[in-house]
Amino acid sequence: MPSRADWRRGVERALRAALVALLAVALWRSVRASRPGPITVTAHSSDLREALVQATTTDRAGRLSVDVDGSLSRAQRDWLAALRRAGVQVSWRGAPPSLAASAGRSREPVARVRIRVLTDSARTIVVSDSVGVIDSVHAAPGAALDASDVVGAVTARAGNFAATADALARSERRDVLVLGRAGWESRFVLAALGEAGWHVRGRLPVAPGVSVSDASLLPIDTARYDVVITLDSTAADLGPAVARFVGQGGGAIVLGSALEIGALRGVVPARASERRPGRILLEGDTLTRADLPIRPLVGARLDAIALERQPSGLAVAIRRAGRGRVAAVGYDESWRWRMQGGEGGAAAHRAWWSRVAGLVAPERSPASAVAAACEADPAPRASLFEALGPPTAAANLADRPASNRLPLLLLVLALAALLAETASRRFRGAS
Amino acid sequence: MTARERVMALQRLLLAVVVLRALFIGASLALLVTAVARLLALSPRATALAATTGLFVAILVLRRGLGARSIERVALWVEERHPALQYALVTATEAPAPPDVECQALATPWWDVERRGLLRTLVAPGAVLIAVVLLLALVPSASTSSIAQRVRAVAGTGAGGVVHDPLAAIHVTVRPPAYSGQAERSLDDPTSVDALVGSRVIVSGPGDAELVRATLDSSAVAASRADDRWAVAVVMPARPMLLRLRSTTQGGRERLVVLAPESDAPPAVTLLAPARDTTVRAASGALVLRAQLRDDIGLRDANFEIIVSSGQEETFTFRSAVLAHRTFGGRSGGTLEARLSLDSLALKPGDIVQMRAVARDANDVTGPGVGSSETRALRVARAGEYDSVAVEAAPPGDPEGQVLSQRMLITLTEALANRRRSMDRPTLLTESRRIAADQARLRKRVGDVVFQRTGGQPLGEEGDAGVPEGKLTPEQLLERARGAGNDAGSPMDVEGDETPILALNKPLLEAFNAMWDAGRALEQGEPSQALPPMRRALAAIERARQAERIYLRGRPAAVIVDVARARLAGKDKGSSAVSTERFTADPAARRRAESFARASALLARDRDAAADSLLVMRVAALGDSPALAAVLDTAARVTRRGSAEDVALAWARVRRALAGPPVRRDSLPAWDGAP
Amino acid sequence: MSDFVFATAQYDSGDWDSAPLLPANVIDSIARYTAIDVAPTGVIVPLAAPALFRYPLVYLTGHLPVRFTAAERENLRAFAQRGGLLFVDDHNHDIDGVFHKTATEELARVYGPLREIPNAHPLYRCFFTFEDGPPTTSHELNGWGDNLVHKTLSGAEHEGRLSLIYSSKDYSSEWNYHPDNKRFLSVDNTKFAVNLVVYALTR
């Protein structure tokens, strides 16, 4: 039967064994901790760059969570997508607004930039470029801004979120050919377009077999011309050529009796009806486009789009014909708008004619310009969804590591075992 | 101590001395080089590089003493210096020596001698080091070293090692031309100088004139020296120009100053009497001429000009004269008066006397500027014209009566507007409505004339519902005429000649409508707001009188050409022409847009360069766009000195001044680029 | 509705209607030689009236001194800026005369300094060809006026476009006759008027 002393020695051995075991466990844990394990990186939009660097340069990054509270650049989105493909768990949360922007140039020599913004709810959008703020618009849900020019990329900002768009560089325009009898309308259409920066050429019949014209007008093709304007039936001999030109991609503006030219009937969007006189002006009155005499357009084709209406009827319509565009204009004697339109009449007349010419002129942006435009970020939220999918629910992010009390427990137990074993031996009188 | 022990002790001392010597020599050299570099004001990098020579020298010296690491070589070194030892020391150090060798090795106290000698070798290097340290402490700093200054003067650097920029701060003195009587003024650091043409503009700054180059629109301008400042003097040109100042110092910069000439406006002359053109039956007596003259700077002289035309059809004779010439000695305002004796002109029926006042200013640089008044004409009516001309003192006809009434109403309304502040609201309303009632009565009389002339009936009594409320358009007037059975002719259009019915009645219709506006304002107790439409109504009635004279009393009958018969009946044929001239876009606007784009690209990289670009644009804009020029000047100044937000705002203003504000639409257009 | 209406300027200070038959004669010539749709009668338009802007080509003449009112001046300025063309002819053909002196002074205030129109200008070639520039009139050397042949016309431009043509050649006398009397002329002396109108309508 084991004696008390034997029991005691057994207990001491057990305590010694326990101490060794505890030390072994502690040693094993420390060796395991020095081996790397996955880490979680969390970041906001403002400090995302540092987080991306960390997630990329350390091989322990297991998870990257982003709180999207501001715009992410295209590069940052691509980076996140690349990390995801490399095996990092990338998730994001937040509510970035739906915001989209585009910037296009009118097809005119002095090409204004039309900036369009679209958003999911009514809000004020600040539009700026590399120089500074251009203006602000209230988009509900969309709005447009016509600026004379922009420098660099266009940014549409709503709070911390922004969409960027690039306006293509101005493209070189080809000539405009005006065909119409000698008269004020021909003269002032030529003047308006020339003053607006178009290079204009004309053929103005004055008498049978006699005309005032520019040299080498023919052939009429898209290599030489952007737009042909036929003001009356004196262009009938060139009707087939104009129709062919439109089919090849050129633009045509047809007015007055030119709308009855047989060869053009197949391409024009509508016909002209009886002439209605314009408003009689009183002293101090100025003429606007609405006050001009007009031949209202009738018989509009199904694919014709009405661009302007006046009380007396449809004034401007446009359609695509072949690869080109044709506009029918019902206004008569638009030159009166320039002469009798007060201080701003000449400028308004010029701008309107240039705009109509730009509507039908073909797009001629060089490919390199298009490629550069691809660097923009016009719809950031859509791109974010495309790159990273929908946002993650908020609760799973940024787990807090459980507090680790095991090492302390091991230490306490080891000390207790050591103390107990030593005390027992001492009290026993053993060394 | 044994001999070996003594040698070992000496070896230790020897090694220490070698190291110390190397240190002292190396340090001395490095410090000496540093002192020289300071004198020459070399850059810290160059100084540090030069100082490393001390390190190399220290290494060399150290290398020479490396032999002391061997105890045998130390013993040999002692043997060389103490031949009496006869190599006993070397023997004693190599192996345990017999006692007699030991004694011989220790016979002379060579260790004291060598120890003292070694220590002495440290004195010189130590002293040199101390001297060099003192020298370094005493060498003057680069800012005061005369050598440094001379070197800097050659290299163009200034005190304190800082580049001295003669263009850092410029001062401009403007001396206007003598005739203007304006005082001299000064500007500090301007980007633009506005002054009268011919003003002397002196731009100056601190520094040597040799360091400044100036050009005025690519012509060089010499810089002169005055004390310790440079100065460039130019005369304000007649058109805007750019004065470029360039510093020739290392890294020198360029500054632009826009010279914006202020033009001396010609005098403003108003002919007060006679107040209007006159037609008389017989010209006699004297005509009073009176004119008021004003000039922005100063008047030189003025006079009246008279031209008398006599004759008719193709035969005319003319006489001209100058009256009442008067000098003003540079005063900015004055009056001119004269009495023209009509008798002395011996005027006959059909003669016309035209009178005007002419003034000249005192501008002796580009002028003098000449200003003239409106011309008044006095006609002597021919016998056959009496029934077609409103001759003085004839009783007023119907439109004339309306003119008098409308004039009276305007006078009453002006008086009421002037007294408005001292009246209470109810009284003002009462008085205003009284005038409104008179205006309504007059409006009805005008309406009567109009609608009777178009074949309709008079409008009815006051308060009758027949008086149309609101305004009428010409189209509505013609409808009424047609409705009354009065053929108004073919449908009127904005083109073509006016038929008498419309030409005659349009002015009265305008008066009718303007009186409606005036009446409404008066009904609301707003006499000031009623005055503009009342004056429009008066002007319209005046035009109606004129139209009446032309269309009802003697307009020459027009020859109507039978165009159809004449069409292409000519024998000669024209020939086609090649058009070579075409209107081109405003090149200035395009150039400005391109310049702005270039300046914008510079803004992020170099604000000073971007500011200079704006100044160049300003010079071009001063001639035809002063508002744009002003915005560019502000933007240039802000770009140089303002915060980022101020710069962005200033550039946004420039953009708007160049091309107008952007056009906003609160919705997206349905079609791409739709107007 | 006609493409072209001949307009005569009426101004306050002088005998603006000194050539009442000229409009009909010019209209007749336009009809004879061209297919331009021209109104059968001319119009008279006050220089200070908004109606001035209905007629982008306006003819002005007279014998008497020309002094524009402020309203006429302002209207002419706007007329030129918007693209109008004013043709002024000295009915006295006298460069020393009061019409010439006063008219050129007033026109210079509105249009800036007048410059010679070179005789190679398209104006002289746009329909009929006048190799030597403006055709001489039978009145230039009739013993009246300055008795000089004026070799050139003067003018002013606005933004590169001719906005004023000034003549001392007395076309007002040359063309001031009933168009029916053309049959008595072996050479039609109104052809330059056709050039003026064609130039105005095509440039």
Side-chain angles (χ1 to χ4, degrees), chain A residues 107 109 112 114 116-118 129 131-138 142-151 187 190-191 194-197 200-202 207-215 275 277-283 287 293 305 307-308 318 325 333 336 355 359, chain B residues 472-475 478 491-496 498 502 506 509-510 513 536 543 568 573-586 590 593-594 596-597 600-601 603 647-648 651-652 655-656 659-669 671-675:
Chain A
R107 294 185 297 272
R112 289 181 73 88
R114 169 149 300 169
R116 290 187 203 76
V117 293
L118 202 57
D129 65 358
V131 175
V133 172
I134 299 173
D135 208 341
S136 62
V137 288
H138 186 73
L145 194 67
D146 283 348
S148 59
D149 201 358
V150 295
V151 181
R187 188 232 179 170
L190 284 163
E195 290 163 4
V200 287
R201 297 153 73 76
V210 180
S211 62
V212 175
S213 64
D214 289 81
R275 186 175 185 273
R279 185 169 74 96
I280 300 170
L281 300 181
L282 294 180
E283 184 79 10
L287 199 80
I305 297 170
L307 291 186
E308 278 188 34
I318 196 165
R325 298 176 176 93
E333 298 187 321
R336 294 190 183 276
R355 203 153 47 227
L359 283 179
Chain B
L472 284 178
T473 65
E475 289 84 357
L478 291 170
M492 293 310 298
D493 200 339
V494 292
E495 55 77 30
E498 293 176 330
L502 200 62
K506 243 174 52 172
L509 185 66
E510 289 158 10
N513 290 338
R536 279 203 310 273
R543 284 197 304 278
L568 297 172
K573 302 279 179 242
S575 50
S576 291
V578 174
S579 169
T580 53
E581 48 172 29
R582 284 281 172 240
F583 314 118
T584 52
D586 177 9
R590 197 146 200 192
E594 288 165 4
F596 182 71
S600 307
L603 183 60
V647 170
W651 280 67
R655 200 207 303 255
R656 289 196 174 210
V663 176
R664 274 187 281 186
R665 298 164 212 271
D666 287 338
S667 60
L668 292 177
W671 205 80
D672 181 36

Side-chain angles (χ1 to χ4, degrees), chain A residues 276-301:
Chain A
R276 312 268 174 91
R279 185 169 74 96
I280 300 170
L281 300 181
L282 294 180
E283 184 79 10
D285 284 347
T286 54
L287 199 80
T288 64
R289 203 157 73 240
D291 302 322
L292 289 171
I294 183 174
R295 292 193 170 90
L297 300 175
V298 294
R301 289 168 174 259

Side-chain angles (χ1 to χ4, degrees), chain A residues 79 103 158 177 182 188 197 201 222 228 327-328 385 401:
Chain A
W79 198 336
L177 176 62
F188 283 109
R201 297 153 73 76
T222 53
V228 173
F385 270 70

Side-chain angles (χ1 to χ4, degrees), chain A residues 298-318:
Chain A
V298 294
R301 289 168 174 259
L302 289 176
D303 59 353
I305 297 170
L307 291 186
E308 278 188 34
R309 285 187 190 279
Q310 299 296 348
S312 15
L314 181 62
V316 180
I318 196 165

